[in-house]
Amino acid sequence: MDINDLKIGDKLEIHCYKHNGHLHRQWDEAVLLDIKDNYMVFGNNRTTVIDSDGKVWNTKEPAIMFFFKDRWFNIIGQLKDYGIYFYCNIATPFLIDDNVIKYIDYDLDLRVFPNGSFKVLDKIEYKFHKKQMHYSNRLDFILRYELGNLIDIVRKKEFPFKKEVIENYYETYVSLIKESGE
């Protein structure tokens, strides 16, 4: 399926790769909630995840995911019982190939807590993979630059780091699931 053929309610998979081309993780479902010029929004809940080591598990809560066409990160709003958390992956802009959302993950993550505080995660993993997989200086610059941009967006509480944005997309997700009879 071509990206231009997608419509609200379509279900896709998500495949996350590493710089060396190896499949790192895959999610079996992402329901398309919105299509904008520079990003797409998806939702899922208790979806099955398969790690590269073969471990299979399920997510614990509903998630609203923002994949960008021109930004080197993706953002996941997690609706937990005690507030909305955000998990942000520093990653390539996404592409869609044969009903699968694909991107390359570059280890660095940003965890944003319900009170707006945040923490950069996996710096050691990033340094290890940067050396092991020979990230170029240009790539390193882009990734660090985009992490800085992401932190600025969080500090300014800009889209999509607002509770009402996640709640509204979650309502859309619930409506689409009810319509599909699941």
Side-chain angles (χ1 to χ4, degrees), residues 101-164:
I101 305 160
K102 296 181 178 181
Y103 65 92
I104 298 171
D105 176 79
Y106 281 102
D107 311 310
L108 291 172
D109 300 312
L110 188 69
R111 184 72 162 146
V112 183
F113 302 94
N115 67 3
S117 67
F118 59 86
K119 182 177 182 179
V120 177
L121 306 174
D122 301 329
K123 291 186 231 176
I124 294 169
E125 183 181 0
Y126 176 78
K127 285 181 183 178
F128 174 75
H129 282 148
K130 178 184 171 190
K131 185 175 181 178
Q132 181 191 48
M133 296 185 213
H134 309 289
Y135 298 175
S136 70
N137 288 339
R138 178 168 167 66
L139 177 61
D140 181 58
F141 174 82
I142 290 168
L143 300 173
R144 292 175 184 275
Y145 179 79
E146 285 289 72
L147 176 60
N149 285 337
L150 187 59
I151 289 170
D152 285 345
I153 293 167
V154 169
R155 284 188 173 136
K156 294 174 183 172
K157 296 181 176 29
E158 293 177 351
F159 178 89
F161 296 99
K162 297 176 183 291
K163 181 180 178 185
E164 54 275 7

Side-chain angles (χ1 to χ4, degrees), residues 46-62:
R46 293 185 169 82
T47 192
T48 302
V49 181
I50 303 171
D51 290 334
S52 59
D53 63 4
K55 180 181 173 195
V56 178
W57 52 281
N58 284 62
T59 59
K60 295 177 183 167
E61 63 273 315

